Amino acid sequence: GESVMAYAQWGRSFVDEEFDLADRLPVPVGDYLANWLSIDFSTSPSRPLAASAGGSWQDAYGGRLPSHRGRLQAALGSHLKGSVGYERSTADIPSGSFVANVVSLRVGYAFSTRVVAGAYVQWNSLDENIVANLGFVYRHRPGSDFIVALNEERGVEGSLWTVAERHLALKVNYLARF
């Protein structure tokens, strides 16, 4: 179940309309190198304790865009599972640079084979926000379920804890058999 994966790509990218990278750094029209190398390692996710790590290095938009990531996952019995992750991405292009750190936490609990609840929380240093997703799924038969999801984003200029958005979604799936 363990794996090592490497990916490499060499090429060019033509930008035909100026845009902002991460809504911060302007990337002008031009012809750019588009080289990419990515290496990832992971232990088997079926183990009680699993880990993954990786990195990618890109030549893009006249600069470099490296990132490094890691995740630790634990299964505590047959019902509870959780993971914590970290990713650091940087950008250094002619128009400027930035660093983004993202920390995430995921927890899931299976009350039974039909009832599952989960939560995901993420902090992003670049956008200076926290995003949280809470979900509950009741599957009364295969293909037919009831889902409740609460999504919230916190972080406005000057206050990380102020609610920026909140959404509640209800979804019903029913599989009709003929």
Side-chain angles (χ1 to χ4, degrees), residues 32 39 47 50 59 125 127 129 143 151 168 176:
Y32 301 101
I39 299 172
R47 296 180 186 272
D59 292 323
S125 71
D127 293 333
N129 70 357
N151 301 314
L168 178 67

Side-chain angles (χ1 to χ4, degrees), residues 125-145:
S125 71
L126 187 63
D127 293 333
E128 297 180 357
N129 70 357
I130 296 173
V131 176
N133 305 317
L134 305 172
F136 174 83
V137 178
Y138 170 65
R139 184 162 291 122
H140 64 92
R141 68 177 193 187
S144 300
D145 44 38

Side-chain angles (χ1 to χ4, degrees), residues 1-2 42-51 71 73-75 77 81:
E2 283 69 32
S42 65
T43 61
S44 175
S46 63
R47 296 180 186 272
L49 191 60
R71 187 173 63 122
Q73 175 181 305
K81 193 175 203 179

Side-chain angles (χ1 to χ4, degrees), residues 140-163:
H140 64 92
R141 68 177 193 187
S144 300
D145 44 38
F146 174 71
I147 302 167
V148 179
L150 175 65
N151 301 314
E152 183 173 281
E153 180 179 338
R154 291 180 177 257
V156 296
E157 192 163 336
S159 174
L160 179 63
W161 296 106
T162 301
V163 175

Side-chain angles (χ1 to χ4, degrees), residues 1-168:
E2 283 69 32
S3 67
V4 175
M5 183 176 72
Y7 179 79
Q9 170 184 305
W10 291 270
R12 300 195 69 78
S13 175
F14 183 76
V15 175
D16 60 358
E17 186 175 319
E18 183 175 314
F19 70 96
D20 290 337
L21 182 63
D23 293 329
R24 284 169 173 72
L25 304 177
V27 175
V29 172
D31 187 19
Y32 301 101
L33 284 177
N35 300 330
W36 181 25
L37 172 64
S38 178
I39 299 172
D40 288 287
F41 165 78
S42 65
T43 61
S44 175
S46 63
R47 296 180 186 272
L49 191 60
S52 63
S56 64
W57 300 266
Q58 292 183 20
D59 292 323
Y61 314 123
R64 301 218 174 227
L65 306 170
S67 70
H68 311 284
R69 57 198 163 274
R71 187 173 63 122
L72 186 61
Q73 175 181 305
L76 306 170
S78 59
H79 297 278
L80 182 62
K81 193 175 203 179
S83 68
V84 62
Y86 173 75
E87 182 166 357
R88 178 180 178 90
S89 301
T90 59
D92 187 9
I93 63 174
S95 62
S97 63
F98 64 80
V99 175
N101 296 294
V102 176
V103 178
S104 62
L105 174 67
R106 184 182 304 269
V107 177
Y109 189 82
F111 295 93
S112 69
T113 57
R114 294 178 168 211
V115 181
V116 178
Y120 177 78
V121 180
Q122 173 185 288
W123 170 72
N124 182 327
S125 71
L126 187 63
D127 293 333
E128 297 180 357
N129 70 357
I130 296 173
V131 176
N133 305 317
L134 305 172
F136 174 83
V137 178
Y138 170 65
R139 184 162 291 122
H140 64 92
R141 68 177 193 187
S144 300
D145 44 38
F146 174 71
I147 302 167
V148 179
L150 175 65
N151 301 314
E152 183 173 281
E153 180 179 338
R154 291 180 177 257
V156 296
E157 192 163 336
S159 174
L160 179 63
W161 296 106
T162 301
V163 175
E165 291 185 33
R166 184 179 289 148
H167 306 277
L168 178 67

